[in-house]
Every structure is written in C-alpha cells, then in structure tokens.
Amino acid sequence: MAIKQNKTMRDHISVQPVLLLILLAISGEVLSENPSKATTLSPTTATDLTTNTTTTTTTTSPLHKICSGNIDIRNHVSFFRKLNNCGVIDGYLQIVLIEHANETDFEDLSFPDLREITKYLLFYRVSGLRSIGKLFPNLALIRGNTLFEDYAFIVFDMFHLEEVGLSRLAEISRGAVRIEKNPSLCFLDTINWHLIAKWDLEKNYVSVSQQPAECPTSAVCRQAGCPLDLCWNSEFCQIPTNKTYNNCDPQCLGGCSGPGPTACHSCRNYLT
C-alpha cells in the first residue's frame, strides 16, 4: 500500500521547515542565469554517517565510471554534462533552481549509466522536467551515507513534474523519502515507499497535491499486470526488493546483465 498523507503527519512534519532548510542551504550563494557563473549548494543541513559497517570498494567498470565527489547542477540544463558516463556518484546529487527551462530542454536528456548515489538525491525547483525516471532510468540504489537532515531522496517544489518514474529504484539504504509541493505529480498512491526506504518508516513523507480525479488510479497498475497494484507509471511496475530481478544474484539491486554477483548493475555491499 502506498503512503497516505494524513492529518497527524501534516501536523508533525509541516512544509515550512523543509523549505526553510533548503533556502538556508542556498542563502549564502549568489545565483546567476549565466551558466559560467553558477555556484554550488553547500549541504549545511547534511548529516554525515559516522559509523558505517558496510565495506565498499571503488573498482571501475568498463561500462561506466565512479564519479567521486558531490555534484551540484543548477541554473541551466547545460550543467547536466557533469553526469556524462557516471555509473556511481560517490557523493550527493543536487539538481536545483533551474527555473527557466522548458520541456523541450529535457527531451533528449537521459543518463542510463547512473545506477547508484552514495549520499542523497535532491530535486528543487526544476522547471520543465516531467519525469525523473526519464533522466535516470537505471538508478537502483541511494545509500544515504550522508543525509539532507533525515532524508536521502527529496523532491520539493517541482511544478511540472508528472511522475517520479524511477522504475529500477530498489533500495534507499539509509534515510527517508520526502516528496511535497509538486502540484502536477501523479503516481504517488501507486508506489509503496516503505518497500524502498525502510530506515525509519515514520519519517517517509509523501504529500499528494493532485486531486484524485486528475491522476490515474491503481487500475492502471492492474491493467499492466503489476503485483499488488503497484506501479511507477502505466509502463513500469514497482519491483519489490525482496525478490530477485530477472534471475539476478541476491546481491544485485535494480537488475543485472547475467548470472552471478559480478553482473549486478548495483550491489548491496560494494560500489560497482
């Protein structure tokens, strides 16, 4: 069952604190529409993971590379070039304040190599973007080694976003999900975020802004043959994390190219 918004959750976690945190994080920066003068969002509200028992290695795959360090994309879509060939971002990814883009700017923009982010993923005020899944069709894992407050996946104030669509996202290892103030966003009641982000179920917060009549219902998932009527959109079912995918090794997350743990697109315990 998807996460439902209720009065208790609204009273406990209001929109103002999250907006304030984001604004505080960028308040010291001088923003410019000129791509050559763009600045970096400092994670002043980030919480570092001080004890991490997971052993990781930074082996390089012939198909994609590990991009070390935090990546901030803002002001102009041209900065998405920072993600070229990245298979793993060993840091956080922030995509923020691209407020003068339109849908055509994202038509040919996709990064299928990206499968893993070791810290957090933040979207804030990106105009023209309608599907996150189209940007990152193979993103399988967000580790949450560093969090934005208690969150590893934040989607906030995205006026044109119509679906999350991250059909390969199988696990958020640490940190919660925060999705709100997205007036065009659908397919929220058809995703069970508790299957993906299990770190603190009480902190997962998904606010449905659309009226029910304006969004597809779970019947769309049923027509697509999706188990439990869960789907990312009319094309992709949500894949439960407690099942292997396409006969992949149990260590795999988000699919594989063949049998055995060495063929995983992303691994539970290693950077791949």
Side-chain angles (χ1 to χ4, degrees), residues 158-170:
M158 300 282 289
F159 292 108
H160 301 126
L161 191 67
E162 296 177 352
E163 63 175 37
V164 175
L166 290 170
S167 60
R168 290 292 180 90
L169 183 61

Side-chain angles (χ1 to χ4, degrees), residues 16-70:
Q16 287 82 6
V18 173
L19 178 59
L20 179 60
L21 289 172
I22 294 174
L23 292 177
L24 285 174
I26 64 175
S27 62
E29 309 294 342
V30 179
L31 303 179
S32 170
E33 294 180 25
N34 185 339
S36 65
K37 297 181 180 179
T39 54
T40 302
L41 172 60
S42 300
T44 56
T45 58
T47 303
D48 287 319
L49 177 60
T50 56
T51 57
N52 182 9
T53 57
T54 300
T55 302
T56 60
T57 181
T58 54
T59 56
T60 302
S61 164
L63 299 178
H64 53 267
K65 66 180 181 180
I66 295 176
C67 295
S68 299
N70 304 320

Side-chain angles (χ1 to χ4, degrees), residues 51-103:
T51 57
N52 182 9
T53 57
T54 300
T55 302
T56 60
T57 181
T58 54
T59 56
T60 302
S61 164
L63 299 178
H64 53 267
K65 66 180 181 180
I66 295 176
C67 295
S68 299
N70 304 320
I71 297 179
D72 181 278
I73 296 171
R74 66 169 63 207
N75 296 344
H76 198 274
V77 294
S78 63
F79 287 109
F80 276 95
R81 65 178 180 270
K82 297 178 183 180
L83 300 177
N84 287 341
N85 301 318
C86 288
V88 176
I89 295 174
D90 191 8
Y92 62 69
L93 174 58
Q94 297 177 151
I95 302 175
V96 300
L97 297 173
I98 304 177
E99 300 186 83
H100 300 286
N102 56 53
E103 185 178 2

Side-chain angles (χ1 to χ4, degrees), residues 115-176:
R115 292 176 168 85
E116 179 178 336
I117 298 170
T118 64
K119 294 183 180 179
Y120 62 83
L121 174 60
L122 166 66
F123 282 87
Y124 174 61
R125 290 191 178 176
V126 180
S127 296
L129 181 63
R130 299 190 181 278
S131 172
I132 296 174
K134 184 177 181 298
L135 273 181
F136 307 129
N138 293 312
L139 180 62
L141 175 63
I142 301 173
R143 292 190 186 271
N145 291 347
T146 295
L147 303 178
F148 191 92
E149 284 299 297
D150 290 326
Y151 301 103
F153 181 47
I154 307 100
V155 182
F156 193 85
D157 232 5
M158 300 282 289
F159 292 108
H160 301 126
L161 191 67
E162 296 177 352
E163 63 175 37
V164 175
L166 290 170
S167 60
R168 290 292 180 90
L169 183 61
E171 180 175 309
I172 296 174
S173 304
R174 177 177 180 265

